[in-house]
């Protein structure tokens, strides 16, 4: 079958790619089986070997997977498909990481991948590059540095809207939170794992779900929440992996061994140790390792010979060029002046274009600043309207009652018998109005503008809100040892106040959690509730003016806001503010 016929039957390579990414390996296998690879050419043939190699990884045929991966690299290279060449180099690197006890230089493939990523500046390749750097830092227990690399990886994944890739990054990022300093952030680790799990469940990727359960077991054990760890252990057992998934099973058995040891259950520990040993033998299969090492040695030798040939050809070419340049030196001199004039003209054009670009950027910055100011004015106006409403509905009603009492006394002061009692009632009404005004002012300020700082103000806000509406709000802080700049504290407090107001008014929640974590150069705020949630995509702008105002405030502070909400499953909002 020719390439065109293949495209007509499969529709596109995206169908095969999706089958592999959603762990539908039987479907991917059936697609590949109907293809006659001998009839494919160029990019199509490279893609065939690339996807066939991916399927062989899940069948634990790592030797065959590496062979087909290298075939794909060569085909992509011959067709100058740099993006796919980079992806194939990265895939072969991952193949070798799946095989235990393999003594080859697998970093050669990672370096080639990074070189192509830097050259092409393709967002997906850059996202994977920062992911690999972050994973190495996390393994070296450099949690804070790893998290910075994970954030860069997420940034590039967002550019191309790769939801599954972003979930994989977040799932890995959860590991880094276990090694942050001055202390591990296990709550954040668990939050990122559970947020990424929703995406894996959406795509139905059983292998990633299994890995996620494994990682949650590790975190829960570190938090001494052994009963919850047991629940996720049972959930992990219920996942029927689409492929053999020996690496995922190995990690599960290792986690089970650690849990059993921690609980003193040595019978279970023995079982997990035996199963782990069996899997280690499969993953570190000696015959596969020997075949891979032998094939890799041949490949590297061929690559060196090829590079030597290219070097010789380049030397010959350069020598010929030098002879040609010597003969044409006189002609070049004639045109030198014309070239100089042309270069000067191009420089002037480039300078003008640069000036226009600077003006364009300045206009964008001014527009952003105006938008931020509009959002702040909008928030202030909203606060004034709310205060006016409270004064009208509460204090206004009390003062109206007091006025009626005074009018009654004034008109009938000579006729009234219980004058003293009426004065007492009127005085009580005025006292009540005074108390309401004072309480209102105290609530609006809540101590932020006073000297106690952000954390006491948020705790007081949570305490006041918890005493009403059947809502309990918990506040947790990490690393918040010193006061921040006053205007920043007020801005952050107003955002949290707005979020708590939204929970009280709209969420119907019984529990909420506020987490404030101060890193070296970032302040992380997480506000969660167990309320009814909502669909952010269907929410009209007018209905979410409070959240819209918060987004603008965060943007003005050069921060980032992530919102995760599902109807019936509560809301989770994460804000990062640079310090």
């Amino acid at each position: 079958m020719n390439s065109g016929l293949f495209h007509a039957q499969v529709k596109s390579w995206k169908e095969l790619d999706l089958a592999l990414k959603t762990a539908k390996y039987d479907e991917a296998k059936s697609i590949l089986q109907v293809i006659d690879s001998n009839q494919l050419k160029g990019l199509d043939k490279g893609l065939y070997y690339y996807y066939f190699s991916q399927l062989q990884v899940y069948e634990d045929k790592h030797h065959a997977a590496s062979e087909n991966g290298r075939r794909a690299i060569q085909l992509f290279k011959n067709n100058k498909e740099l993006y796919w060449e980079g992806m194939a180099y990265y895939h072969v690197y991952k193949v070798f990481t799946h095989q235990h006890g393999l003594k080859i230089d697998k970093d050669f493939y990672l370096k080639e991948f990074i070189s192509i990523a830097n050259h092409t500046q393709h967002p997906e390749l850059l996202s994977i590059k920062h992911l690999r750097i972050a994973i190495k830092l996390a393994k070296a227990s450099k949690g804070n540095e790893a998290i910075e690399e994970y954030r860069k990886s997420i940034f590039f994944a967002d550019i191309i809207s790769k939801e599954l890739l972003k979930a994989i990054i977040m799932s890995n990022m959860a590991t880094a939170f276990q090694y942050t300093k001055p202390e591990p952030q296990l709550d954040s680790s668990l939050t990122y794992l559970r947020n990424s799990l929703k995406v894996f469940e959406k795509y139905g990727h059983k292998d990633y779900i299994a890995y996620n359960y494994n990682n949650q077991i590790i975190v829960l054990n570190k938090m001494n929440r052994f009963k919850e760890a047991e629940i996720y252990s049972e959930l992990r057992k219920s996942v029927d992996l689409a492929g053999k998934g020996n690496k995922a099973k190995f990690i599960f058995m290792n986690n089970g061994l650690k849990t059993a040891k921690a609980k003193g259950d040595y019978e279970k520990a023995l079982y997990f140790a035996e199963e782990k040993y069996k899997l280690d033998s499969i993953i570190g299969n000696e015959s596969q390792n020997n075949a891979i090492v032998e094939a890799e040695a041949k490949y590297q030798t061929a690559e060196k010979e090829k590079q030597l040939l290219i070097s010789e050809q380049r030397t010959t070419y350069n020598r010929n060029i030098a002879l040609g340049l010597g003969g044409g030196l006189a002609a070049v001199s004639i045109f030198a002046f014309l070239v100089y004039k042309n270069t000067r003209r191009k420089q002037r054009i480039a300078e003008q274009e640069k000036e226009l670009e600077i003006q364009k950027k300045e206009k964008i910055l001014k527009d952003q600043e105006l938008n931020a100011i509009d959002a702040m004015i909008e928030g202030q106006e909203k606060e004034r309207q709310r205060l006016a409403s409270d004064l009208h509905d509460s204090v206004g009603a009390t003062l109206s009652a007091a006025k009626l009492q005074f009018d009654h006394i004034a008109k009938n002061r000579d006729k009234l018998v219980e004058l003293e009692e009426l004065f007492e009632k009127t005085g009580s009404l005025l006292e009540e109005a005074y108390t309401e005004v004072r309480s209102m002012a105290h609530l609006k300020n809540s101590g932020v503008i006073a000297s106690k700082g952000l954390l006491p103000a948020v705790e007081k806000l949570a305490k006041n809100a918890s005493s009403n509406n059947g809502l309990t709000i918990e506040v947790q802080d990490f690393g918040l040892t010193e006061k921040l700049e006053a205007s920043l504290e007020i801005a952050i407090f107003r955002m949290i106040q707005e979020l708590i107001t939204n929970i009280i008014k709209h969420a119907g929640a019984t529990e909420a959690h506020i987490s404030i974590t101060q890193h070296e150069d970032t302040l992380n705020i997480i506000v969660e509730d167990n309320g009814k949630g909502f669909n952010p995509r269907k929410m009209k702008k007018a209905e979410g003016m409070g959240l819209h105002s918060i987004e603008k405030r965060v943007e003005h502070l050069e921060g980032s806001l992530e919102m995760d909400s599902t109807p019936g499953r509560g809301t989770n909002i994460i804000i990062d503010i640079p310090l």
Side-chain angles (χ1 to χ4, degrees), residues 57-94:
V57 170
Y58 295 110
E59 294 175 341
D60 289 322
K61 298 176 181 177
H62 296 146
H63 171 229
S66 64
E67 289 281 300
N68 285 324
R70 281 194 289 263
R71 288 191 184 102
I73 289 171
Q74 194 57 53
L75 286 162
F76 293 142
K77 189 178 291 185
N78 292 343
N79 287 276
K80 295 181 172 55
E81 294 286 348
L82 269 179
Y83 164 79
W84 285 110
E85 185 186 343
M87 292 296 284
Y89 269 117
Y90 180 62
H91 168 66
V92 174
Y93 169 76
K94 287 202 299 180

Side-chain angles (χ1 to χ4, degrees), residues 106-365:
K106 56 180 176 285
D107 281 346
F108 163 78
Y109 293 90
L110 182 61
K111 289 172 185 174
E112 290 294 315
F113 161 75
I114 291 174
S115 175
I116 292 171
N118 291 336
H119 177 70
T120 62
Q121 289 293 296
H122 191 286
E124 185 173 2
L125 301 184
L126 290 173
S127 179
I128 295 170
K129 181 192 87 169
H130 288 292
L131 171 61
R132 293 311 314 181
I133 294 170
I135 289 172
K136 283 198 171 186
L137 288 169
K139 284 182 177 178
S141 299
K142 297 179 180 179
N144 300 69
E145 296 172 44
I147 287 169
E148 289 305 313
E149 290 296 326
Y150 280 122
R151 293 195 193 283
K152 292 176 186 176
S153 183
I154 289 172
F155 170 78
F156 287 111
D158 276 334
I159 290 175
I160 50 177
S161 302
K162 290 280 185 179
E163 185 180 30
L164 186 57
L165 175 59
K166 184 176 177 180
I168 293 168
I169 297 165
M170 290 175 66
S171 186
N172 279 279
M173 189 175 179
T175 305
F177 280 112
Q178 299 171 40
Y179 301 103
T180 52
K181 296 177 181 178
E183 59 184 23
Q185 300 175 49
L186 299 179
D187 284 333
S188 294
S189 179
L190 207 55
T191 298
Y192 274 87
L193 281 171
R194 290 177 177 174
N195 285 341
S196 60
L197 179 61
K198 295 173 187 176
V199 180
F200 298 149
E201 289 172 340
K202 172 183 172 181
Y203 283 90
H205 200 305
K206 294 180 180 178
D207 288 356
Y208 286 145
I209 292 171
Y211 278 122
N212 192 282
Y213 286 157
N214 284 336
N215 290 332
Q216 289 203 50
I217 293 166
I218 292 170
V219 177
L220 289 167
N221 280 331
K222 287 183 177 181
M223 299 171 80
N224 296 325
R225 290 158 64 171
F226 299 118
K227 288 185 179 179
E228 287 183 66
E230 283 286 350
I231 293 170
Y232 278 94
S233 182
E234 293 302 315
L235 285 171
R236 166 61 190 83
K237 288 178 186 177
S238 70
V239 177
D240 180 21
L241 293 177
K244 290 184 179 179
N246 284 323
K247 191 172 182 185
K249 292 175 186 174
F250 179 86
I251 295 170
F252 170 66
M253 293 302 170
N254 193 42
N255 292 341
L257 177 61
K258 289 178 181 178
T259 304
K261 282 182 177 179
K263 294 175 66 178
D265 189 342
Y266 296 107
E267 186 176 344
K268 270 192 178 181
L270 179 62
Y271 163 76
F272 284 120
E274 289 174 346
E275 292 298 312
K276 177 185 171 185
Y277 176 76
K278 292 176 188 175
L279 289 166
D280 191 47
S281 299
I282 295 171
I283 296 170
N285 183 281
E286 187 175 353
S287 62
Q288 278 214 66
N289 281 358
N290 291 337
I292 290 171
V293 170
E294 185 179 346
E296 181 64 13
K298 289 179 181 178
Y299 174 74
Q300 292 295 344
T301 301
E303 280 294 302
K304 287 176 182 176
E305 290 174 354
K306 189 186 298 180
Q307 291 301 321
L308 181 61
L309 179 61
I310 291 170
S311 178
E312 289 174 355
Q313 289 174 343
R314 189 178 288 118
T315 302
T316 304
Y317 176 76
N318 289 340
R319 185 170 59 246
N320 292 336
I321 288 291
L323 290 172
L325 286 173
L329 185 59
V332 171
S333 299
I334 295 171
F335 289 102
F337 179 69
L338 294 175
V339 171
Y340 172 74
K341 285 184 69 177
N342 188 46
T343 302
R344 288 292 300 162
R345 184 174 62 83
K346 286 182 178 179
Q347 284 177 346
R348 285 197 300 272
I349 293 171
E351 287 170 0
Q352 291 171 356
E353 288 178 349
K354 188 176 180 181
E355 183 65 29
L356 288 172
E357 187 66 25
I358 291 170
Q359 291 175 4
K360 185 178 177 181
K361 287 180 179 178
E362 286 177 350
K363 185 178 182 302
I364 291 170
L365 290 171

Side-chain angles (χ1 to χ4, degrees), residues 409-410 412-414 416-424:
I409 293 169
N412 303 285
R413 59 179 175 272
D414 297 328
L416 294 173
V417 178
E418 59 283 349
L419 190 62
E420 189 65 30
E421 184 181 345
L422 286 172
F423 270 120
E424 286 181 6

